[in-house]
Every structure is written in structure tokens, then in C-alpha cells.
Amino acid sequence: MGLLDAGIKNHNVLVTSVDNVLNWARLSSLWPMGFGLACCAIEMMATNASNYDLERFGIFPRSSPRQSDLMIVAGTVTMKMAERVIRLYEQMPEPRYVLSMGSCSNCGGPYWEHGYHVLKGVDRIIPVDVYVPGCPPRPESLIGGLMKVQELIRMEQIGISRADALKKLAEKSVDPQFVIESERNAASA
Amino acid sequence: MEEGQVISQSVQQSAAAYAIIKDKFGEAVSAFDANETMPFFEVLDLSAWPEIALFMRDNPKLQFNYMACLSGVDYQSEEKVGIVCNLESLGKLNHRIAVKVKCARTGGSIPSVAGVWHTANWHEREAYDMYGMLFSAHPDMRRILCPDDWEGYPLLKDYKVQESYHGIKVPY
Ligand code: SF4
């Protein structure tokens, strides 16, 4: 039986390959929306700048939500800003991803109890895919979070929902160490 | 002030400035408090406050040309809220003094001095935003930080945050 027949009858080889190519293209040019809300934004800007150079991953900030795939919620979301965040999120084309950066946007951070004006976690208003802890997270952890977004995209396939992909990611994350090890073993074999 | 304590030169200058104000306004102002950190007096007659402010700015012996800060205070036990204005004569006579003004805790209002020092404009809006006292004759009496439809005044000591804002849960 030819490869093509086998693929179409059994494992859908053709479609999975197209999936892979599309996913590879999407995860290699993640364009986040360039907006920062508080001190975490400084760290995000540092990550974008030459020392950490996000552009080597194809990540560079766009100034319009309509051109971006990823929203990095970097900083304190106030109640006043919350509604604007929803609007910006709705303006982004699908498929879109949200990375919540820092304690403030994860859960309210230092303002969790007495900050009357702070939204206690951006996941109260928009769905969040990846959380990066820290106050502020170092650029390395932000890059780590972005790698997680890339893994998530890699997990996605036609016919698999985002929720399923997230579940798969939680079960078996693409640990770089594991990949390195297996590459090494393959090389020596 | 405690017996035998040396009054520093800057407090002496403030006391001299206060004496001029007391001379002019008499009962409208309280006694002088020679607080070493920030000497102050209180305005007892609310309606005289803009006039006192103007006098303090324009009198050649006072020249308080600079409002460094205007803060709000909640005097919960006295059932009052108030403001503290830190005034300085910057580059002129180099003395300083703080003025306190108080009004009723609910529905109280203080005459605005935004026309005397422009700094007071936004600071008074902030004091209103956080403590709820109104400033009469203020050119733009709106909230400045909280959303316009926010409930309550957050820095009052008995403030309780609202349950939800536009359908978003507020408390942790
Ligand atoms: S998490 Fe910390 S660093 Fe980040 S915005 Fe909040 S307070 Fe600032």
C-alpha cells in the first residue's frame, strides 16, 4: 500500500504534515501586542531589547491588536483598564493566545487584598493560556512562558480543541532536556 | 512644644509667617503648632480659606508661591475629613508651612483654591476621589483616578470595596 493510501485511510498522514507545517509557521512568528501596564512591562521591554533579543524567535511587538497573535498581559490590570483589555482581546484575530505575565495579572499580586482598584487576575475577564509567575518575572522566565505558548501551538491540530491541547501539554510537556537527551541518544546509536 | 526644646530656624520663620496671617485673619485661624517636621495651623472658618490662600500667596512678606502637596485625611473619630496643604515660598523667602482645613465627613465641602495655586486643581480632585469631600467653585469637580461610576471613597477608614464593577467581581 502506498503512503498516500495508508495516510488517508488510517492515520491521516497528509493532514498531520500540513498541520505540522502550519504550526511551525505560526509558532515561529508569534507577534505579541505591544502594550504594557506596569513594572512588568519594563521587564517585557528588556526581553524585547538586544540583550535577550526576542526577535531570534520571530517574536516582535506589533502596535495593533489586529496584527497580533499573542497578548502579553504585562502588569497590573486595574478595574478601569479591565474593560479596555477585553476590547483589545476581542479585536485580535483568531487563533489568539494570552500570556499572563507577573503576579499582578495572575492573581492581583501585591494588591490582592487592599488594592480596591486592581482586578484580581486577568483570567477573570479573558481566557489565559500561560501564566508566568514572578514580581516581576525575569526575562528568562518570560522567554520560558513564550516557549510554552509555542509548545501549545505545536500541540494543536485540526480537530483538536484548545482545551484538549492544553490538557495534552499539561500531561506531556515538551521538555527541552528530554529532547536534547533523545537527540544525543539518537546520535550515538 | 516641650520646655527647653530649641526651636529650629526654619520653624521660627514659619512662626513669623503665621503671625502675619493671624494678625490679618484673627479668629478664622487656629493657634500655631510648631511641629518640627512641618509646622502648621488650621483654618477654622471654612469660608475664609480662599481669601487666606490668596493673602498667603500675594502678601510680599509671605509669598507662598508653591503648593508642594495637597493631601486628604480621614478624621474618623471627629466625624470629619480634611485636607493638608504643604505650602512653600520657593526661591523667594524660602519658608514653609502646612495648612489644615476640615469639613463634615459626609456631604461636607471645602472652598477650592484651584484658582490660587493651579496645583490644587488635580490634587483637590484626588482628595475628592479618595475621601468624598466636595470642593466648591472647583472648575472641574470630577473623580480623577477611579472610574466615574465607582462606588464609595476608597481611602475612608470604613471603606468596603464593592462586590462587582460592570459585572466583574472586585474582591479577591
Ligand atoms: S507583578 Fe510585580 S513587577 Fe509585575 S506589575 Fe505587578 S507589582 Fe509590578
Side-chain angles (χ1 to χ4, degrees):
Chain A
M1 208 189 291
L3 181 64
L4 209 55
D5 302 325
I8 289 166
K9 275 209 207 101
N10 300 328
H11 301 300
N12 249 344
V13 172
L14 196 64
V15 178
T16 50
S17 307
V18 172
D19 265 354
N20 282 344
V21 172
L22 283 181
N23 286 348
W24 169 79
R26 288 200 299 138
L27 67 85
S28 311
S29 65
L30 267 183
W31 290 358
M33 199 168 80
F35 88 125
L37 300 179
C39 7
C40 271
I42 305 294
E43 219 62 6
M44 180 186 69
M45 287 182 258
T47 319
N48 276 313
S50 44
N51 272 13
Y52 291 92
D53 190 19
L54 274 187
E55 224 162 303
R56 66 198 152 124
F57 304 113
I59 300 172
F60 82 114
R62 303 296 305 171
S63 42
S64 160
R66 295 170 205 279
Q67 298 173 355
S68 22
D69 323 289
L70 171 68
M71 178 188 252
I72 302 179
V73 186
T76 320
V77 186
T78 59
M79 299 309 288
K80 223 175 179 177
M81 190 64 193
E83 296 183 310
R84 278 76 170 172
V85 169
I86 297 176
R87 176 170 306 180
L88 288 168
Y89 177 75
E90 283 169 353
Q91 284 177 351
M92 287 166 62
E94 285 184 345
R96 54 198 168 191
Y97 300 85
V98 177
L99 184 147
S100 160
M101 177 184 184
S103 308
C104 279
S105 62
N106 290 347
C107 62
Y111 313 100
W112 68 279
E113 189 171 6
H114 299 293
Y116 55 90
H117 62 299
V118 175
L119 179 70
K120 310 295 187 288
V122 77
D123 50 4
R124 285 190 181 180
I125 51 168
I126 54 174
V128 175
D129 296 304
V130 174
Y131 298 85
V132 178
C135 179
R138 283 191 55 89
E140 288 90 335
S141 21
L142 177 59
I143 294 175
L146 292 166
M147 300 292 99
K148 282 282 169 213
V149 177
Q150 293 191 335
E151 283 177 32
L152 171 63
I153 296 175
R154 208 175 270 129
M155 292 284 176
E156 279 180 319
Q157 284 165 26
I158 293 170
I160 290 192
S161 71
R162 176 81 60 88
D164 290 341
L166 277 170
K167 216 178 284 162
K168 260 169 77 182
L169 185 61
E171 273 165 19
K172 181 177 171 289
S173 78
V174 183
D175 181 9
Q177 196 55 42
F178 170 78
V179 176
I180 293 167
E181 292 284 315
S182 62
E183 286 291 309
R184 253 196 216 130
N185 292 342
S188 65
Chain B
M1 173 149 278
E2 277 166 43
E3 205 66 37
Q5 196 174 337
V6 192
I7 300 177
S8 73
Q9 205 193 347
S10 89
V11 175
Q12 281 173 20
Q13 280 180 335
S14 308
Y18 166 77
I20 298 171
I21 302 163
K22 181 76 180 169
D23 243 19
K24 168 101 171 140
F25 291 97
E27 288 305 300
V29 297
S30 75
F32 180 68
D33 187 317
N35 185 304
E36 188 55 41
T37 319
M38 194 66 187
F40 66 89
F41 69 89
E42 194 185 322
V43 174
L44 300 175
D45 179 5
L46 273 183
S47 58
W49 168 224
E51 209 187 317
I52 295 173
L54 208 58
F55 178 75
M56 289 173 77
R57 189 191 71 183
D58 291 342
N59 186 296
K61 285 194 187 133
L62 297 174
Q63 296 196 56
F64 285 101
N65 55 3
Y66 175 55
M67 170 178 269
C69 191
L70 185 154
S71 337
V73 188
D74 180 12
Y75 305 96
Q76 197 181 16
S77 53
E78 295 174 42
E79 279 299 314
K80 279 185 172 171
V81 283
I83 52 169
V84 181
C85 310
N86 295 37
L87 303 170
E88 283 173 35
S89 174
L90 206 65
K92 303 274 183 182
L93 305 173
N94 295 323
H95 54 205
R96 67 203 173 111
I97 202 161
V99 186
K100 297 188 178 183
V101 192
K102 297 179 187 175
C103 71
R105 195 154 182 273
T106 42
S109 103
I110 296 173
S112 167
V113 290
V116 182
W117 297 282
H118 286 306
T119 314
N121 188 324
W122 281 16
H123 283 232
E124 284 176 349
R125 281 176 65 187
E126 189 188 8
Y128 160 67
D129 197 355
M130 297 294 145
Y131 297 92
M133 75 286 257
L134 285 166
F135 290 87
S136 48
H138 188 283
D140 185 20
M141 194 76 270
R142 287 181 294 144
R143 280 183 181 270
I144 191 169
L145 295 168
C146 291
D148 286 337
D149 51 356
W150 194 253
E151 290 163 26
Y153 301 99
L155 291 194
L156 290 179
K157 287 181 179 154
D158 53 2
Y159 173 74
K160 286 273 178 302
V161 83
Q162 64 198 64
E163 268 309 306
S164 80
Y165 172 72
H166 292 188
I168 305 166
K169 185 168 165 247
V170 180
Y172 184 71

